[in-house]
Amino acid sequence: GYGVTVFEAGEQPGGMLEQCIPTFRLPREVLRNEVAYIEKLVVEFKTGVRVGKDISLEQIREQGYGAIVLALGTQLGKRLGIPGEDGDGCYDALDFLRIVISGGKLPAGDRLLVIGGGMSAMDVARTGRRLGMDVTVVYRRTKAEMPAVAEEVEDAEREGVKFQFLAAPLEIENEGGKVKAMISNRMELGEPDDSGRRRPVPIDGDNFKLDADFVVAAI
């Protein structure tokens, strides 16, 4: 029985569903239909309003709202924490997807390295292929240990995504401030860790280089 107002920082309701989930996974007409249904329940969406910047919690209270729910999600990506990650062409998965989905501009280049083995990694890899990029997923374990759904991995392979297993990033090489390559360490599997999967162990001194224009951390 409450009247509900949603303050949304983005230009469209939906949060990360709108901003970060690729359209091949979630067609925007499906999302917009869901939002329209919610609006018919007499929910008001105020878009382009970032709470804490455009309006404060105190101002919301002063408008007479009886309850305030903070439903912000986890919208910060995670970086690799390796040297050279400040180069132009390095992104976390969420930033990369936001740029592409919003129609933003990426630096020049067509060689994409995606670091990780989960669903976000598959989203980035398959998005890169749709941009015409040469895409390689770098994962520190084997295909059998990948947390992504098997069908997603198979779809990515069918779409031309390559995989470099048993490899972990060590350093990103930049040239003129732009990503040029990534140095990785070959790994082998040891004893199982807390996740039940065999722990990846570095092979001392066994390093190799992969050329790249983009490195996206999807970890």
Side-chain angles (χ1 to χ4, degrees), residues 145-160:
E145 283 82 28
M146 290 181 72
V149 175
E151 290 88 342
E152 288 290 325
V153 180
E154 292 165 6
D155 285 345
E157 288 176 323
R158 277 195 294 269
E159 291 171 11

Side-chain angles (χ1 to χ4, degrees), residues 121-177:
M122 297 305 100
D123 280 354
V124 171
R126 297 176 68 191
T127 296
R129 288 296 298 143
R130 283 160 173 75
L131 295 173
M133 293 182 177
D134 180 357
V135 181
T136 300
V137 172
V138 180
Y139 182 55
R140 60 183 185 160
R141 291 183 168 96
T142 69
K143 184 177 181 179
E145 283 82 28
M146 290 181 72
V149 175
E151 290 88 342
E152 288 290 325
V153 180
E154 292 165 6
D155 285 345
E157 288 176 323
R158 277 195 294 269
E159 291 171 11
V161 174
K162 293 174 285 189
F163 289 82
Q164 177 70 62
F165 294 111
L166 291 170
L170 287 178
E171 181 180 353
I172 296 171
E173 289 188 350
N174 298 308
E175 187 175 86

Side-chain angles (χ1 to χ4, degrees), residues 49-57 59-60:
V49 180
R50 184 177 295 277
V51 175
K53 180 181 178 182
D54 302 311
I55 190 171
S56 68
L57 284 176
Q59 288 173 317
I60 293 175

